[in-house]
Amino acid sequence: KKEVIAMNHDDFYDERTPRGGRGWFFTAIILIAFIVGALFVQYVLPATLGDGGRVSLIGATPTTTPGASEEPAATREPVERPEVAPELGGRAAMLHEANISEIRKAVGPAVVGVSNKASSIYGALEEQGYGSGIIISEEGYIVTNYHVIAGAGAVAVALSNGVEMEAQIVGADEYTDLAVLKIDAQQDLTVMPFGDSDAVDVGDLAIAIGNPLGREFFGTVTAGVVSGKDRQVTVDGRTIVMLQTDAASNPGNSGGALLNSRGELIGITSVKSMYTRSGYSVEGLGFAIPINSARPIIEALITQGRIKRPMIGVRGAEITAAAADYYNIPQGFLVKEIVEDGPGDRAGIKINDIIIRVDGQRTKTTDEMSSVIYGHAAGDTVAVTVWREGREIELSVVLGDS
């Protein structure tokens, strides 16, 4: 006869069986501990170490899906590309400064929901995240963030009228955190008018429209001011120049719109500062990619599907000041992998070389090195100085195309 014994833990009961069945109890405990440990390694630890306590991607509102594909759908479906990008941005919604309610009614329908779907372990497509996007042309092109659609096996777009349809990934660029989708709407679309992000001043009205926490809060409008311009924000090892705003942003706002007082797009919501290096929580510190910076990237993604960037063809890690002092080596970029027959390989770069100077400029960090390289074009020859076994060696590298 089974005996039910109440335990001290709230709402937990242990249904005891005869002595021979206790092994299942301990097996279950071990299995639960294993699952918790795996989740910690997969999600908690990377979140703790990933951004150095600076800023983090807002991201699409996540829905955990086991076995999600890491390959974007754009790499598997052919895309018809125009030779010239279509006209981007709709006609000005307001000829004068307007109140927030008028702006929402005029351009709010240009902000859409973006559903990131991936194959589950059972083979069916399941939603693994939900973010925002902006309709930027009458042809159905939509801009969003790269991290909103990263790893997607398929993408769906939800319009403000509730209609949901499949979208094609036209192009994506992880470095700038931008992606372009396309839908065949078969209906008139509200197209977001573009503003001039260079013309905004600190203190100007800033209106954010997006989908925080997913479908439930679709089309949420928040308002604040432009808190800063030309902010250099480092995310996942890359530095992006951003607009800063205190308009509230939350998971799901990624890819949404930041507007001026005329209802014109001045930025694409991308990141939010979550905490400081000391671990203190931070609020009212959001960032958006300026539309003037995003526009040429968007046009290139439409016509080419990718952004061509120069590269040396090496992978490795940044040597911090602390590590350099401890090991008595210079700060720089430690080469751990070399692309076979790539620019660096052909120039004579070797494993464990430390790149300390590019084009005559001292480069202590990965960002500094990338900044110098991206100031050139593929095919340019640059001088690369490496530190190897206690001495400096200068090499000539013909930059390749990433």
Side-chain angles (χ1 to χ4, degrees):
K1 181 179 178 180
K2 292 186 177 180
E3 175 186 18
V4 178
I5 303 176
M7 304 295 287
N8 291 329
H9 303 289
D10 293 341
D11 300 320
F12 179 82
Y13 293 90
D14 178 24
E15 189 172 331
R16 295 288 179 93
T17 59
R19 187 182 300 270
R22 289 184 177 178
W24 289 104
F25 174 77
F26 294 109
T27 301
I29 293 297
I30 293 172
L31 181 60
I32 291 171
F34 175 80
I35 293 173
V36 171
L39 291 174
F40 178 83
V41 172
Q42 179 70 22
Y43 298 106
V44 179
L45 190 60
T48 303
L49 301 178
D51 58 21
R54 300 174 73 176
V55 298
S56 60
L57 296 174
I58 296 177
T61 301
T63 306
T64 303
T65 304
S69 169
E70 292 297 324
E71 184 181 22
T75 64
R76 300 192 296 274
E77 297 180 4
V79 177
E80 294 184 8
R81 302 191 184 283
E83 293 184 3
V84 179
E87 182 177 351
L88 301 181
R91 290 178 296 180
M94 305 289 174
L95 299 179
H96 55 81
E97 293 188 356
N99 64 47
I100 296 171
S101 179
E102 290 175 330
I103 289 171
R104 182 198 66 79
K105 292 174 183 177
V107 301
V111 178
V112 301
V114 179
S115 175
N116 180 324
K117 299 182 178 181
S119 297
S120 70
I121 57 176
Y122 305 107
L125 284 174
E126 296 181 359
E127 186 173 281
Q128 65 174 353
Y130 198 86
S132 306
I134 308 162
I135 300 172
I136 56 173
S137 81
E138 294 177 350
E139 292 80 6
Y141 287 104
I142 294 169
V143 65
T144 186
N145 287 141
Y146 172 90
H147 69 266
V148 170
I149 55 91
V155 174
V157 164
L159 303 180
S160 61
N161 60 8
V163 174
E164 185 166 317
M165 63 195 71
E166 291 185 3
Q168 189 176 33
I169 300 179
V170 174
D173 182 50
E174 182 178 10
Y175 189 85
T176 56
D177 195 30
L178 290 171
V180 176
L181 314 175
K182 191 174 189 298
I183 57 173
D184 185 10
Q186 299 296 318
Q187 66 181 71
D188 291 337
L189 298 171
T190 299
V191 180
M192 184 68 72
F194 282 18
D196 182 357
S197 55
D198 291 337
V200 301
D201 288 325
V202 174
D204 284 354
L205 177 68
I207 304 165
I209 305 180
N211 310 313
L213 306 183
R215 288 180 173 82
E216 185 176 359
F217 300 104
F218 189 102
T220 292
V221 179
T222 59
V225 297
V226 175
S227 306
K229 295 177 62 177
D230 301 324
R231 300 300 201 201
Q232 294 193 8
V233 182
T234 300
V235 184
D236 297 335
R238 62 190 189 277
T239 298
I240 308 174
V241 177
M242 299 273 198
L243 291 174
Q244 179 189 335
T245 180
D246 64 348
S249 295
N250 291 284
N253 269 104
S254 281
L258 188 69
L259 311 174
N260 62 16
S261 58
R262 294 164 59 94
E264 298 169 329
L265 184 68
I266 56 173
I268 301 164
T269 304
S270 186
V271 298
K272 175 187 177 183
S273 182
M274 306 295 285
Y275 51 86
T276 67
R277 289 185 181 276
S278 303
Y280 294 106
S281 176
V282 175
E283 291 298 331
L285 193 60
F287 298 94
I289 303 168
I291 191 58
N292 288 16
S293 301
R295 185 167 192 153
I297 304 296
I298 294 169
E299 291 174 344
L301 291 177
I302 291 173
T303 57
Q304 303 171 15
R306 66 189 183 96
I307 305 301
K308 296 179 180 179
R309 290 193 177 87
M311 69 163 188
I312 293 178
V314 296
R315 301 183 184 92
E318 183 179 301
I319 296 176
T320 64
D325 183 63
Y326 183 83
Y327 291 105
N328 194 29
I329 57 177
Q331 275 187 265
F333 183 83
L334 176 64
V335 177
K336 301 304 293 182
E337 295 181 52
I338 301 174
V339 176
E340 185 177 354
D341 199 34
D345 189 19
R346 292 193 293 268
I349 294 178
K350 299 183 181 300
I351 299 294
N352 292 327
D353 279 355
I354 301 174
I355 297 175
I356 58 173
R357 200 172 290 111
V358 178
D359 200 24
Q361 299 184 47
R362 181 71 173 96
T363 53
K364 295 182 179 181
T365 67
T366 304
D367 285 341
E368 291 174 352
M369 184 176 74
S370 298
S371 178
V372 176
I373 293 171
Y374 289 161
H376 291 270
D380 287 354
T381 300
V382 298
V384 175
T385 303
V386 301
W387 186 88
R388 181 186 300 165
E389 297 178 349
R391 61 193 184 98
E392 295 184 9
I393 301 172
E394 185 173 302
L395 304 169
S396 292
V397 179
V398 180
L399 298 175
D401 180 357
S402 61

